[in-house]
Amino acid sequence: MTKESTKRPAHAAWRRLKKNKIAIAGLFIVILYVACAIFAPYISPHDPTKQSLADSFLMPNAEHLLGCDEFGRDILSRIIWGARISLLIQVSSVIVALLVGISLGALGGYYGGKLDELIMRFMDILLAFPGMLLALAIVAMLGPSVRNLIVAIGIYSVPQFARITRGAVLAISANEYVLGAKAIGESDLSVIVRYVLPNALSPIIVQTTLRMATVLLTASGLGFLGLGVQPPNPEWGTMLSSARMYLRSAPHVAIFPGLAIMITVLGFNFLGDGLQDALNPRLKE
Amino acid sequence: MPTLVSAEKVLKHFPIGGGILTSKPTGWVRAVDGVSLSVEKGRTLGLVGESGSGKSTTGLLLLGLLKPSGGRIFFEGEPLEELLRRDPRRFRRRAQIVFQNPFASLNPRMTVKDIVGRGMKLHGLVESDRELDERVAALLSEVGLKEEHLNRYPHEFSGGQRQRIAIARALALNPEFIVLDEPTSALDVSVQAQILNLLKGLQRLRELSYLFISHNLAVVRHMSHEVAVMYLGKVMESAPKDSLFSDPLHPYTQALLKSIPKISFPPEDIEKKVIEGDIPSPVNPPSGCPFNPRCRRAVDICRAEMPDFREVMPGHWVACHLV
Amino acid sequence: MGSLLEVKDLATYFYTDEGIIKALDGVSFSIDEGEILGLVGETGCGKSVTATSIMGLIPSPPGRIVRGSILFNGRELLSLSERQMRSIRGREIAMIFQDPASSLNPVFRVGFQVAEAIWAHLKTPIREALLKAAELFGRVNIPDPLVAISRYPHQLSGGMKQRVMIAMALSLNPKLLIADEPTTALDVSIQAQILSLIKRLQRDYGSSVLLISHDLGVISTMAHRVAVMYSGLIVEEGRAEDLFQKPLHPYTQGLLAAIPRVDEDKSELAVIEGTIPDLTNPPAGCRFHPRCPWVMKICEAERPPLKAVEPKHKVACHAYAG
């Protein structure tokens, strides 16, 4: 019986999100992270790849706020530039996953029947692999490079999006406006694009945000295993991997990239959970 | 009166089960099981029935939104199948639908202008965006809404107003035939009266033919010229309105009319007017006449054979062994 | 016969982001022992909030009962603790809802759910409680009660589920049964079965019933007395025969003129112009005045009190002041 806001649903969702302190903290972290990635050349205090053996394992000080690594490279600068590579991997691989996953999920959910069975069983097979192992296998097959990393992580994220989209499409297709659209002669493609998918956005947005966190972890994990971004490019997982040898003598070299991963992942998860509550207010009650 | 839409022994059976490995369905829902009816030009056929009677499915079949499993449907004498094959878009312009739930029948992400105008755009009925604006505004005023509503979203409207938008959407393609599927069942009585009056007015003005589907016999009585009563996928009785309400012949129609709580004084004794038993499932309907397990007058033949649908008086058709 | 329930000046507000929703704003009525009171009105008029207020089930926040009194059997319900209220709920006041499917737990057998309700209040051993459940199933005309108790909710039709709810409500022989749109989700032929069941049980058990419905036909068939609600207030109240034969309030008259009848032809349905008022900002004075055909100056300024203008027939309308 509550009076609906007279604004568009997005406004109402934003209002609910604003009230959620944890989600706003997450949003803040995500914005900071994206800003680092975009403005890396302007804000990083030093060249991330410039070695200076005299500064090896330098502890944090005024000149190098987070200290230096084993080659005397400024850790803060490397973390800032690392955000750039991570964001590139996250966005590209999630776009790959979104495009493929939404198409497959929408097709399966909308048409149902044999096609749906076929698509979803294939997704089940993909899901049956431990995620990391699947990405690992793909990268091992294609060879380690940023592009292959994106393809690998993209493929391994497809089933999640396909499932979420299919569920949403199934629920939305039951609405009478979908039948009404067919009654005025809309084509199937038009029904899917104009009537079904716009109403399936909420779960997809939530899933995208949460997936960003998983993808970052996977990319760092692959980097850590030496199959991700190759040194000397500053990627957080790769940084962590080379720092682990000096964990006792110079823990800060490992701690800061580790913290960067942790905080960023938390940021995306906080934001994703907040969006979930904001976009589906009924679920929470 | 010339006939606009007619159905002859139309069937619609939905399969149950059957996956990628087990391609054979495990059973059939006999949603519509041999329905014959006709809607006359400029008139309203009321289709009443309880849940599982197949009345909504029948509506979708007449619009060609579902493919019948058997039987034939004609639109102005031409087979619907033929019309849909020749020019499906042209047929879409002639027959439209208004649904029950105004909260599910409008796309929440579209503005009123898009909802109402989409069909005209799709069918190339307007030249420019300005013309579209004008046409949509004219339709809105025809259904009692204002031009200022043009750029609003469905959630900003009440149930009654949404139903007006849905009616404008159906009118946009200037159809001859509209299926009204429980158009007022989700509305309050005072709003229901407004919508029913609107629908009647539009029918007079535009010479529309309606198939008015409802479980509410009072509303059907008010809206219809002819009435067909469905039960478990079959038409049990159909007749001109006066004849059906004053002289119902089928035991089901009689019992249904009795069991509606009426405003009367002294209050009627509802305990004496009850139809016993539950409505059987259309998955496994009773043999013979589907009403026989609940019929007080049922005899052996009712359990064995489905009675023919016969014309017992001019225009009055009944499927009952005992009439 | 004395009053079993007496509600006086009850006001329930909901404090939301969009403002204070005054769902009930001074509702008074009473129910005698063994009486069926019909509460009729349209969406948002406050009939369901009345029921949940009596049951002490207003979700808080955002809801709060801001004033008034609910006397049940001489006890003030509003001053009881949640624990005391729990022992009244179910045992002395029972409730059935519109949607029986969502009132039953899908993972337990229905007989067990009824038995559990009995056990919770009376500590009857579960075996005995189950037998009692079967007996109750028989009383509400569920075929094969001993088989039916071991069914799960999804195995029952809507009508059967509502029978189970009624059996559960009756299990403790409550003095008051609140039925909130008990047949709205059911088919016509099943509705008649459930209504006649409620009527018979009310007679057998001598309970009082608060029957809430939007359907004037249902109210006319069932109720001894009727209260008509509009926008959080009762606008007319009287014996069913008086109210339906000679409705006084323009809203009641409008409603009766607006519904199509199955037993007579109407050429055109009368329409109540305008829409239901916004409960966060209801009209001043009489809340019906913006839609009222008889509106006078005083209607815009002063809220008319609900008072008897004929024996046992009350109306809240300035037109009957003189």
Side-chain angles (χ1 to χ4, degrees):
Chain A
M1 213 168 47
T2 34
K3 201 181 69 171
E4 269 289 329
S5 148
T6 48
K7 298 187 201 91
R8 295 187 53 175
H11 290 260
W14 170 238
R15 237 187 29 230
R16 283 190 291 268
L17 188 70
K18 268 198 300 196
K19 277 198 225 148
N20 184 342
K21 288 202 184 73
I22 289 184
I24 290 301
L27 181 64
F28 180 74
I29 295 170
V30 169
I31 289 174
L32 191 72
Y33 166 69
V34 173
C36 280
I38 293 172
F39 300 112
Y42 309 103
I43 55 173
S44 81
H46 299 275
D47 181 340
T49 51
K50 189 171 159 256
Q51 304 188 357
S52 153
L53 291 177
D55 292 337
S56 293
F57 303 120
L58 200 65
M59 291 300 281
N61 59 34
E63 172 67 19
H64 300 281
L65 285 175
L66 302 182
C68 293
D69 67 3
E70 70 271 30
F71 297 112
R73 293 174 298 201
D74 181 53
I75 293 178
L76 177 61
S77 302
R78 288 180 68 73
I79 286 179
I80 291 173
W81 280 86
R84 197 164 230 221
I85 296 180
S86 300
L87 187 68
L88 173 77
I89 295 169
Q90 277 178 301
V91 171
S92 325
S93 59
V94 168
I95 286 177
V96 170
L98 275 173
L99 286 177
V100 182
I102 289 180
S103 314
L104 290 178
L107 282 177
Y110 185 77
Y111 289 106
K114 291 248 158 76
L115 180 68
D116 183 32
E117 286 273 327
L118 209 67
I119 291 172
M120 292 327 287
R121 293 301 81 80
F122 181 58
M123 293 300 120
D124 287 346
I125 293 169
L126 282 185
L127 276 174
F129 283 101
M132 191 70 168
L133 202 65
L134 183 67
L136 208 65
I138 298 172
V139 174
M141 216 159 63
L142 301 175
S145 77
V146 173
R147 201 194 63 203
N148 293 346
L149 197 63
I150 289 169
V151 172
I153 296 175
I155 291 177
Y156 124 82
S157 299
V158 163
Q160 269 78 15
F161 287 106
R163 281 200 155 183
I164 284 259
T165 309
R166 174 179 179 266
V169 167
L170 271 180
I172 289 156
S173 300
N175 276 307
E176 289 166 342
Y177 58 77
V178 171
L179 206 53
K182 290 181 195 165
I184 60 166
E186 295 271 20
S187 65
D188 282 354
L189 182 67
S190 182
V191 172
I192 293 176
V193 173
R194 280 168 194 274
Y195 296 81
V196 178
L197 285 183
N199 291 294
L201 278 183
S202 308
I204 294 174
I205 289 172
V206 172
Q207 180 68 16
T208 304
T209 315
L210 294 173
R211 200 67 202 164
M212 288 290 222
T214 323
V215 165
L216 179 65
L217 276 178
T218 312
S220 309
L222 288 172
F224 187 84
L225 293 174
L227 288 166
V229 178
Q230 296 303 303
N233 289 319
E235 194 273 331
W236 299 345
T238 318
M239 287 164 74
L240 207 57
S241 170
S242 48
R244 74 183 192 280
M245 285 178 276
Y246 320 107
L247 207 52
R248 263 165 215 274
S249 51
H252 68 277
V253 182
I255 285 172
F256 290 120
L259 272 179
I261 296 173
M262 194 185 92
I263 291 172
T264 314
V265 167
L266 267 182
F268 278 107
N269 278 332
F270 285 164
L271 180 62
D273 286 341
L275 283 171
Q276 170 93 346
D277 295 339
L279 293 169
N280 304 308
R282 266 177 225 121
L283 272 183
K284 216 185 159 191
E285 276 166 22
Chain B
M1 208 68 62
T3 299
L4 182 68
V5 190
S6 62
E8 272 176 23
K9 303 213 163 109
V10 168
L11 307 171
K12 181 69 193 177
H13 296 177
F14 294 103
I16 311 169
I20 196 166
L21 299 174
T22 52
S23 54
K24 275 217 177 112
T26 50
W28 297 90
V29 181
R30 298 158 80 164
V32 171
D33 206 13
V35 162
S36 302
L37 48 79
S38 64
V39 183
E40 259 127 57
K41 272 190 189 162
R43 290 167 74 87
T44 303
L45 173 68
L47 196 57
V48 296
E50 301 184 278
S51 44
S53 64
K55 53 192 192 303
S56 291
T57 309
T58 304
L60 296 180
L61 287 168
L62 295 191
L63 289 176
L65 289 173
L66 282 177
K67 251 192 149 82
S69 328
R72 301 180 72 181
I73 297 166
F74 297 92
F75 203 89
E76 261 199 322
E78 284 187 86
L80 180 60
E81 222 180 330
E82 184 69 21
L83 287 170
L84 283 172
R85 195 174 46 226
R86 211 184 317 140
D87 192 349
R89 286 215 156 173
R90 216 180 109 76
F91 177 72
R92 291 278 156 254
R93 264 177 266 162
R94 303 178 68 185
Q96 280 300 312
I97 182 162
V98 175
F99 295 99
Q100 165 175 7
N101 183 352
F103 293 85
S105 65
L106 305 175
N107 184 349
R109 306 265 169 182
M110 280 179 154
T111 60
V112 171
K113 180 186 156 187
D114 290 336
I115 290 169
V116 177
R118 177 70 190 151
M120 294 192 272
K121 228 163 148 182
L122 196 67
H123 289 265
L125 303 180
V126 283
E127 307 262 297
S128 65
D129 206 47
R130 243 196 65 208
E131 194 192 342
L132 184 71
D133 273 7
E134 283 166 14
R135 294 273 293 268
V136 174
L139 280 165
L140 289 185
S141 90
E142 196 177 348
V143 298
L145 293 170
K146 300 193 188 84
E147 197 176 337
E148 69 202 50
H149 294 139
L150 219 56
N151 291 312
R152 302 228 187 125
Y153 286 86
H155 74 267
E156 299 171 47
F157 295 91
S158 68
Q161 285 174 315
R162 289 187 205 208
Q163 208 56 314
R164 288 175 194 271
I165 298 170
I167 292 168
R169 195 189 66 99
L171 291 177
L173 295 176
N174 205 5
E176 300 150 60
F177 174 55
I178 302 183
V179 171
L180 302 161
D181 190 355
E182 305 258 13
T184 61
S185 301
L187 306 176
D188 276 315
V189 271
S190 66
V191 184
Q192 164 172 284
Q194 297 170 3
I195 299 294
L196 293 180
N197 286 347
L198 172 67
L199 289 170
K200 273 198 156 180
L202 288 170
Q203 176 167 48
R204 271 195 302 271
L205 222 66
R206 290 173 166 255
E207 294 172 345
L208 292 163
S209 311
Y210 289 151
L211 177 73
F212 191 96
I213 301 171
S214 180
H215 69 284
N216 185 328
L217 282 143
V219 173
V220 165
R221 174 170 194 163
H222 182 71
M223 291 301 290
S224 313
H225 300 98
E226 281 82 35
V227 178
V229 181
M230 283 187 77
Y231 187 76
L232 280 181
K234 294 192 161 75
V235 179
M236 306 303 260
E237 179 164 7
S238 93
K241 173 182 74 174
D242 291 334
S243 162
L244 189 111
F245 281 94
S246 58
D247 189 18
L249 296 176
H250 199 286
Y252 175 61
T253 317
Q254 293 169 352
L256 199 60
L257 282 172
K258 266 195 208 153
S259 63
I260 299 166
K262 292 165 205 77
I263 301 171
S264 63
F265 186 77
E268 38 163 23
D269 190 354
I270 188 97
E271 292 170 59
K272 288 200 182 128
K273 303 191 164 170
V274 166
I275 312 177
E276 295 297 340
D278 249 338
I279 302 168
S281 149
V283 180
N284 204 356
S287 62
C289 168
F291 187 59
N292 83 67
R294 304 175 76 190
C295 185
R296 285 182 190 177
R297 288 156 53 193
V299 290
D300 283 345
I301 187 168
C302 304
R303 288 178 268 275
E305 256 178 60
M306 175 63 201
D308 287 334
F309 192 49
R310 297 171 294 131
E311 190 169 20
V312 291
M313 282 189 277
H316 201 140
W317 295 67
V318 188
C320 180
H321 290 298
L322 304 170
V323 177
Chain C
M1 271 189 285
S3 289
L4 176 70
L5 179 80
E6 231 180 304
V7 175
K8 271 196 193 133
D9 193 32
L10 184 66
T12 305
Y13 293 176
F14 290 87
Y15 297 83
T16 69
D17 294 345
E18 281 87 16
I20 303 169
I21 298 172
K22 296 174 178 172
L24 297 183
D25 207 5
V27 163
S28 306
F29 64 90
S30 65
I31 302 178
D32 288 344
E33 273 173 31
E35 180 183 51
I36 302 181
L37 176 74
L39 198 55
V40 67
E42 298 182 281
T43 310
C45 70
K47 43 192 203 302
S48 288
V49 179
T50 306
T52 33
S53 297
I54 296 168
M55 292 294 279
L57 291 174
I58 291 290
S60 169
R64 214 171 72 213
I65 294 177
V66 293
R67 61 167 200 274
S69 117
I70 302 172
L71 278 180
F72 176 73
N73 229 353
R75 282 168 93 188
E76 175 55 68
L77 295 186
L78 295 182
S79 66
L80 295 185
S81 69
E82 174 56 28
R83 233 192 79 223
Q84 290 168 309
M85 225 20 237
R86 259 204 301 271
S87 73
I88 286 194
R89 235 180 268 143
R91 182 148 186 192
E92 294 187 55
I93 308 179
M95 187 158 174
I96 52 177
F97 300 90
Q98 169 171 347
D99 182 11
S102 66
S103 325
L104 286 165
N105 186 336
V107 301
F108 292 112
R109 297 173 197 275
V110 288
F112 174 75
Q113 296 188 48
V114 175
E116 211 222 345
I118 299 170
W119 173 83
H121 284 281
L122 303 180
K123 303 286 173 248
T124 317
I126 205 77
R127 218 168 239 287
E128 252 172 73
L130 265 174
L131 283 175
K132 170 96 180 160
E135 184 203 321
L136 285 162
F137 278 19
R139 300 198 76 132
V140 298
N141 293 354
I142 296 177
D144 301 326
L146 285 169
V147 181
I149 52 169
S150 58
R151 295 243 188 263
Y152 288 95
H154 74 266
Q155 296 173 306
L156 302 175
S157 67
M160 283 302 152
K161 278 190 256 214
Q162 196 59 293
R163 286 172 199 270
V164 171
M165 290 313 296
I166 294 172
M168 195 185 297
L170 292 173
S171 59
L172 298 154
N173 204 354
K175 294 194 178 67
L176 176 65
L177 174 69
I178 300 177
D180 188 359
E181 303 269 7
T183 58
T184 306
L186 304 176
D187 278 308
V188 184
S189 66
I190 309 300
Q191 160 166 289
Q193 296 171 0
I194 298 295
L195 291 178
S196 75
L197 177 68
I198 293 175
K199 200 152 196 184
R200 177 167 62 77
L201 294 170
Q202 183 268 334
R203 221 175 31 231
D204 293 355
Y205 284 73
S207 335
S208 306
V209 178
L210 175 62
L211 176 69
I212 297 171
S213 179
H214 70 284
D215 186 328
L216 290 161
V218 169
I219 297 286
S220 169
T221 308
M222 298 289 289
H224 302 121
R225 225 149 37 81
V226 180
V228 181
M229 285 191 83
Y230 182 79
S231 186
L233 295 167
I234 289 180
V235 294
E236 181 165 1
E237 190 229 289
R239 289 185 304 193
E241 62 257 42
D242 297 339
L243 194 128
F244 284 111
Q245 279 184 311
K246 199 185 160 203
L248 295 176
H249 198 281
Y251 176 63
T252 318
Q253 295 180 355
L255 271 188
L256 282 165
I259 43 169
R261 307 281 283 260
V262 74
D263 43 2
E264 67 180 66
D265 279 313
K266 286 185 177 179
S267 55
E268 182 98 343
L269 299 175
V271 162
I272 306 176
E273 293 299 340
T275 50
I276 293 161
D278 174 4
L279 287 169
T280 56
N281 188 18
C286 172
R287 290 190 175 177
F288 188 60
H289 87 254
R291 307 175 72 183
C292 182
W294 306 344
V295 62
M296 305 177 288
K297 258 244 131 51
I298 187 174
C299 305
E300 291 160 30
E302 254 177 66
R303 184 197 287 181
L306 182 68
K307 60 177 188 188
V309 299
E310 279 171 27
K312 297 193 172 174
H313 197 162
K314 295 181 192 168
V315 65
C317 179
H318 289 300
Y320 297 92

